[in-house]
Amino acid sequence: MICFSKEDIFLVTGASSGIGKEIALRLNSLGASVLANGRNEERLQKTKSMAAHPENFFLEARELTENIQELPLWVKNLKEKYGRLKGLISCAGVIADQPLQVLDESTGKKLFDVNYFAPVFLAKGFADRRVYASENASITFLASISAFLGEKAQTFYGASKAALIASAKTLSHELSPKVRVNCISPGPIDTEMTNRAVEIHGHSNISRCTLGIGNVKDVSALASFLVSHEARWITGQNYILDGGYI
Amino acid sequence: MTIKEFLVELQDSLQREDELLLEMALRELPEWDSLAMMSIVVLFDKHFGQKLLFSDFEKFKTVKDLVQKAGLL
């Protein structure tokens, strides 16, 4: 049974919706303290209202792409405010469906800022010796099966997630044995973000999930395992969690 | 850059809690490893336009040696 104490502090980005929200809530329900990050304080408040232990659920609204270079300092300041961090779970991400003929440079750069550069610079802040907890510290990045699928219109999205997976591998080597670094690559999960994409493209691809479309709880279950002591020997891995999609 | 500013930069590159002192032996610092050396190579390139080699580090015994290499002493 996985459980945490309130001294186990996790920074979860993208915590106002979808997978990030569910991971933040599950870790909190398992006893951990959660620093929930999202762009919008109001939406974070909504997440907090669902928390099992709201007294250990703290809101840290910030637009992560506003000043990426300063993100390490922000993480360091969180440590000053709350104490050493046990884990970083980076869930904030955006999708852009763009076939080659309408591919737009500025969209691509913005997408890489959110999906790649911000997570890496958050990791830089977290992996500072003065920030992470001495026992079983870990970083978990939310990637995507789009990194390998080569689906149409995912030129930038797939690349941003593939980049993240590649960097996670490097970081796992650089930071071993102090900090474990892993990725989760979900397939289609029932979230607002996926549903919007499904609306645009129809349901045809979802039928490839032999176990049906995934639920955010399927992802939070794996995430809470990966950040727990049970996973102390796991680093540098990317877990495909796709209900049989690939 | 002053010596003090350099020491702060160096401390940050090594992700060290405590201040660095000139007489400290580099190899006795708990933060000292190959990534620390690579970080110092980057620091020298960025701030002083100097391209250090790993073999240069054989000559650096103390923090003071790095300060001298940076031309601050």
Side-chain angles (χ1 to χ4, degrees):
Chain A
M1 166 83 186
I2 292 164
C3 62
F4 300 101
S5 76
K6 69 177 176 19
E7 282 73 37
D8 297 330
I9 304 168
F10 293 94
L11 170 58
V12 182
T13 73
S16 49
S17 66
I19 292 170
K21 176 181 174 180
E22 179 56 31
I23 289 174
L25 290 172
R26 184 186 282 244
L27 289 175
N28 181 250
S29 77
L30 294 171
S33 291
V34 169
L35 314 182
N37 162 259
R39 276 172 294 181
N40 183 313
E41 179 98 27
E42 247 171 74
R43 292 180 69 197
L44 286 174
Q45 279 291 357
K46 263 193 175 163
T47 308
K48 181 170 176 159
S49 70
M50 299 161 75
H53 305 289
E55 70 281 11
N56 299 327
F57 200 98
F58 306 97
L59 309 186
E60 287 293 340
R62 183 188 169 103
E63 171 66 77
L64 294 175
T65 55
E66 208 172 79
N67 191 342
I68 292 175
Q69 186 70 31
E70 289 291 313
L71 282 178
L73 186 64
W74 178 65
V75 178
K76 241 167 124 178
N77 289 338
L78 292 178
K79 178 255 171 178
E80 299 303 330
K81 193 168 162 189
Y82 298 101
R84 284 182 174 265
L85 307 181
K86 183 93 170 175
L88 162 68
I89 299 134
S90 167
C91 307
V94 286
I95 282 183
D97 296 317
Q98 287 194 335
L100 190 61
Q101 58 264 44
V102 293
L103 213 58
D104 168 69
E105 186 191 7
S106 76
T107 310
K109 285 184 171 166
K110 271 186 215 147
L111 186 114
F112 262 79
D113 275 352
V114 180
N115 291 2
Y116 178 73
F117 287 109
V120 168
F121 278 81
L122 286 168
K124 182 180 177 189
F126 178 84
D128 189 309
R129 284 186 183 92
R130 296 161 290 188
V131 172
Y132 59 82
S134 56
E135 285 275 312
N136 195 33
S138 68
I139 297 170
T140 308
F141 294 114
L142 255 290
S144 165
I145 55 168
S146 292
F148 331 101
L149 282 185
E151 277 178 319
K152 289 175 187 171
Q154 301 299 319
T155 302
F156 287 146
Y157 181 73
S160 69
K161 294 298 191 178
L164 193 57
I165 294 166
S167 292
K169 193 75 177 172
T170 291
L171 297 182
S172 75
H173 289 139
E174 274 192 32
L175 303 177
S176 208
K178 299 287 175 60
V179 180
R180 300 183 296 105
V181 186
N182 294 294
C183 293
I184 299 175
S185 286
I189 303 289
D190 189 7
T191 63
E192 268 176 49
M193 197 163 93
T194 314
N195 292 342
R196 265 201 308 275
V198 170
E199 267 172 38
I200 297 167
H201 306 297
H203 289 256
S204 57
N205 284 343
I206 304 290
S207 61
R208 281 175 53 180
C209 293
T210 52
L211 300 179
I213 190 167
N215 186 281
V216 286
K217 286 187 174 22
D218 297 317
V219 186
S220 70
L222 178 57
S224 51
F225 166 73
L226 282 177
V227 302
S228 77
H229 185 74
E230 305 285 322
R232 58 165 212 93
W233 207 47
I234 298 176
T235 193
Q237 301 306 305
N238 172 47
Y239 287 90
I240 292 169
L241 185 65
D242 70 349
Y245 192 95
I246 293 183
Chain B
M1 184 181 282
T2 64
I3 295 177
K4 198 165 177 214
E5 285 164 344
F6 176 76
L7 292 181
V8 171
E9 281 279 342
L10 194 58
Q11 181 186 346
D12 210 43
S13 297
L14 298 177
Q15 302 178 345
R16 193 183 149 80
E17 299 267 16
D18 305 323
E19 269 182 45
L20 288 166
L21 303 172
L22 289 177
E23 62 274 17
M24 284 177 170
L26 295 172
R27 277 158 204 80
E28 284 167 28
L29 299 173
E31 298 84 8
W32 192 256
D33 58 13
S34 61
L35 287 174
M37 290 200 287
M38 283 172 76
S39 302
I40 290 168
V41 170
V42 173
L43 191 153
F44 268 76
D45 187 22
K46 187 169 152 195
H47 292 287
F48 309 108
Q50 294 190 42
K51 310 272 184 209
L52 296 186
L53 303 171
F54 264 35
S55 56
D56 291 329
F57 283 84
E58 287 163 26
K59 292 173 286 184
F60 305 143
K61 306 294 180 207
T62 62
V63 173
K64 190 178 169 186
D65 294 334
L66 290 175
V67 176
Q68 279 174 334
K69 181 71 182 171
L72 300 171
L73 198 72

